[in-house]
Amino acid sequence: MKTNKHIITFFIASVLIGCAGSAGCADSHTHEADKKDADHDHDEELQLTEYSSDFEVLAETAPFVTGETSVVKVYVSSLKDFKPLTEGKITVSLTTGGEIISQVLDKPATPGIYDFEIKPAAAGQAQLVFDISTPEKTARITFSEITVYPDEHEAHQALEEAAETTCNTAVFTKAQSWKIDFSTEEVRNESFGQVIRTTAQILPSQGDERIVIAKTNGIAMFTDGNIVEGKAVVAGQTLLALDGGEMADNNLAASYAEAESRYKRAKTEYERKKELAVDKIVSQSDLLQAETDFINAEAKFNNMRRNFASGKQTVSSPIDGYVTGVYVQNGQFVEAGSRILVISRNRDLLIKAELQPKYFNVLGGIVSANIRALNDSHTYTLDELGGRVLSFGKSVDADNPLIPVVFQVNNKAGLLPGSFVEMYITTKTNSQAITAPNESIVEEFGNFFVYVQLTPELFEKRTVETGATNGLRTEITAGIKAGERIVGKGAILVKLAQSSGSLDVHAGHAH
């Protein structure tokens, strides 16, 4: 499946090099270039570019001439990561004058590069087809606007007439782009709603946090001296004890002994009446009452034994997670019902933003949000964090005239509860806009520009006007149009390559 119409570009290397290195186009031919032209040393080259849904194909070749062998160098990149194709078979077919010339290469000569040799049999219009087959994907790339010339003189004359000089360009070869995190993308009109930029706070989710409270009065005694905020704990792990054994009131040791005594007495009474009931000496109602007393006494004693062994309350972690709050010190007296610790899984979080009332009418149409921690350069989408809108306020008051908007997210990004993040909240819209990834846009002296692809190795530096941003993409109001292709990842490195004077269009090629 093709994603855009293929591009056929004619190059005269000397003209391209002269322009790329000059401030303007008027004096773009160097003395050496003029000398080459005078000596008729032809450097014309045909470049073919095409995209399928999975691959980028760049083919370079000298003009096709009847009876002459042309070396076709093909660069194949995966659109998944714009890295070279390391395995896969490619079949090339040139159809002209009713004859088909084919060649098959089972693997690249070097990663991403296939070298074919084609000898056209007849002059005229031709079709060049590349069939790509890998263990995971197949694709067919077709170039229809190909000409096979009857002789070299006519071929070079035709290409010289078609060649254009392009200024303000940067050469960035496939050898260079394959080594870095690089990508390009086709410019499209797409939905781009109103963006509300704000600061929000990370809060723990109610279901993700547990508060541990004291069940009795006592003295806090830490069994582990390292119970501090941030400590990882597991469910059931003993954290501390509350010792009330030496207290005059609410003495746990006395309560434990009393509960044990009641349990033993109730058990003995129930077993005695159970034996007497066999001979019907005890009524059924007395037996049921004894059983009830025994069950209640056993439950209370087991609870005391589990939580208050030896006159102490054993405090354990109710969940796996992290200690996020410690509210008592070792040796401190604690009253029943007091908060002791807070344990959080730090797995589900809330993000709370507060917006001005003027946005109230659009809050019901929130479709997404992008989130960036203030100390992190990466921006996460709400979908990446498995997030959703929980609620937004329906009223305001004098003390807080802002509208709260609450999102719930999975903490896949290592967000820290209590910290603040930058949010770009996007609302529903019917309008369309041209946008570019934020990393595509490079600033220079207060102006913004992008690199527009002329070929996969040649990029034009284009000034653009920008609009709103959602943290990941920015609206482009002027400078590029739908259908063009721009550098996504790696734009700053293309700029550096241009500044450093990497002018040879074939730099890095293994010709």
Side-chain angles (χ1 to χ4, degrees):
M1 181 181 69
K2 294 184 180 180
T3 57
N4 64 307
K5 185 178 179 181
H6 62 259
I7 303 168
I8 301 178
T9 309
F10 303 97
F11 278 100
I12 299 179
S14 59
V15 175
L16 178 62
I17 293 171
C19 182
S22 64
C25 295
D27 300 319
S28 61
H29 282 283
T30 65
H31 175 72
E32 290 299 322
D34 290 335
K35 182 178 178 182
K36 275 190 176 184
D37 290 341
D39 293 340
H40 302 287
D41 184 8
H42 297 292
D43 291 323
E44 296 89 352
E45 187 173 70
L46 178 67
Q47 284 198 341
L48 313 173
T49 305
E50 177 61 290
Y51 293 86
S52 71
S53 58
D54 300 299
F55 302 106
E56 174 195 74
V57 173
L58 167 64
E60 295 180 343
T61 179
F64 289 110
V65 178
T66 303
E68 298 289 338
T69 299
S70 294
V71 176
V72 182
K73 185 173 290 292
V74 182
Y75 302 84
V76 185
S77 305
S78 169
L79 292 185
K80 181 180 180 180
D81 54 10
F82 280 84
K83 290 295 185 285
L85 190 66
T86 56
E87 61 176 336
K89 179 176 71 174
I90 297 183
T91 302
V92 62
S93 303
L94 180 70
T95 303
T96 177
E99 295 190 30
I100 301 177
I101 307 298
S102 297
Q103 185 182 358
V104 179
L105 293 179
D106 292 325
K107 61 182 180 179
T110 58
I113 302 177
Y114 292 77
D115 292 318
F116 295 94
E117 293 185 355
I118 299 178
K119 187 176 182 180
Q125 292 300 304
Q127 183 180 74
L128 186 65
V129 178
F130 296 94
D131 287 301
I132 303 172
S133 178
T134 72
E136 297 82 20
K137 305 285 185 179
T138 59
R140 166 166 283 197
I141 303 294
T142 302
F143 299 96
S144 301
E145 302 172 13
I146 304 296
T147 302
V148 177
Y149 298 94
D151 55 59
E152 288 191 14
H153 175 74
E154 185 173 335
H156 293 303
Q157 184 177 17
L159 294 188
E160 285 180 359
E161 293 173 356
E164 295 182 359
T165 301
T166 305
C167 292
N168 203 18
T169 56
V171 174
F172 203 72
T173 66
K174 298 308 297 180
Q176 291 172 301
S177 66
W178 283 342
K179 294 177 181 178
I180 65 169
D181 192 11
F182 181 86
S183 69
T184 65
E185 67 172 60
E186 186 180 355
V187 176
R188 293 187 177 94
N189 279 304
E190 57 188 1
S191 296
F192 194 77
Q194 180 181 359
V195 178
I196 305 171
R197 183 176 180 178
T198 186
T199 300
Q201 187 175 21
I202 305 296
L203 302 172
S205 174
Q206 293 291 335
D208 199 53
E209 186 177 73
R210 299 290 179 86
I211 298 175
V212 181
I213 64 171
K215 297 179 181 179
T216 184
N217 296 344
I219 305 300
M221 300 178 63
F222 285 87
T223 56
D224 184 344
N226 295 321
I227 302 299
V228 294
E229 292 186 11
K231 180 179 177 62
V233 295
V234 296
Q237 177 181 342
T238 300
L239 304 177
L240 57 91
L242 295 178
D243 186 359
E246 298 181 1
M247 301 182 65
D249 296 329
N250 298 319
N251 190 296
L252 275 177
S255 298
Y256 182 86
E258 182 181 356
E260 183 179 17
S261 177
R262 287 181 178 177
Y263 161 69
K264 291 180 178 179
R265 185 170 61 250
K267 181 180 180 182
T268 301
E269 183 68 11
Y270 170 62
E271 290 176 347
R272 185 182 69 84
K273 289 185 176 182
K274 186 177 181 181
E275 291 178 357
L276 294 174
V278 175
D279 298 327
K280 298 184 179 180
I281 299 175
V282 175
S283 66
Q284 192 68 25
S285 61
D286 287 345
L287 178 62
L288 290 176
Q289 182 61 49
E291 183 181 14
T292 300
D293 293 342
F294 166 65
I295 292 173
N296 291 337
E298 183 182 40
K300 185 174 182 180
F301 175 63
N302 286 338
N303 179 62
M304 292 288 290
R305 183 166 53 183
R306 183 171 57 252
N307 295 308
F308 305 102
S310 303
K312 301 176 183 179
Q313 177 197 347
T314 301
V315 179
S316 303
S317 174
I319 58 174
D320 296 341
Y322 301 87
V323 177
T324 58
V326 180
Y327 298 97
V328 297
Q329 295 179 350
N330 197 25
Q332 178 182 340
F333 172 74
V334 179
E335 293 185 350
S338 299
R339 175 185 294 195
I340 303 174
L341 301 168
V342 176
I343 311 294
S344 177
R345 291 189 180 94
N346 203 23
R347 184 177 60 190
D348 296 323
L349 299 174
L350 302 179
I351 303 180
K352 182 180 179 182
E354 295 187 320
L355 306 179
Q356 297 179 29
K358 66 179 182 180
Y359 296 115
F360 178 75
N361 290 333
V362 300
L363 295 183
I366 294 176
V367 293
S368 66
N370 298 325
I371 301 128
R372 183 181 69 84
L374 299 183
N375 59 348
D376 191 354
S377 60
H378 185 77
T379 300
Y380 297 90
T381 67
L382 199 60
D383 288 340
E384 281 181 305
L385 300 180
R388 61 191 179 97
V389 181
L390 275 187
S391 65
F392 63 91
K394 307 301 188 295
S395 63
V396 297
D397 54 49
D399 293 333
N400 184 15
L402 300 177
I403 302 174
V405 183
V406 181
F407 301 83
Q408 184 178 45
V409 299
N410 298 326
N411 194 11
K412 300 177 181 179
L415 299 174
L416 184 65
S419 65
F420 290 86
V421 295
E422 190 174 25
M423 287 197 77
Y424 301 84
I425 302 171
T426 304
T427 61
K428 188 183 301 183
T429 183
N430 293 323
S431 63
Q432 300 282 308
I434 287 177
T435 65
N438 285 2
E439 56 196 339
S440 292
I441 303 170
V442 182
E443 183 179 4
E444 189 176 87
F445 304 114
N447 296 316
F448 299 97
F449 59 87
V450 299
Y451 280 96
V452 179
Q453 176 178 297
L454 303 180
T455 79
E457 296 188 317
L458 184 66
F459 304 90
E460 178 189 355
K461 181 179 177 182
R462 184 90 58 82
T463 301
V464 294
E465 295 179 12
T466 61
T469 180
N470 64 7
L472 291 175
R473 303 186 70 85
T474 295
E475 181 182 9
I476 305 298
T477 58
I480 56 176
K481 59 182 183 292
E484 292 185 302
R485 199 169 188 91
I486 61 173
V487 175
K489 298 176 183 178
I492 190 66
L493 296 178
V494 177
K495 177 181 182 296
L496 292 175
Q498 182 184 29
S499 301
S500 66
S502 299
L503 304 177
D504 185 0
V505 73
H506 299 303
H509 286 191
H511 287 297

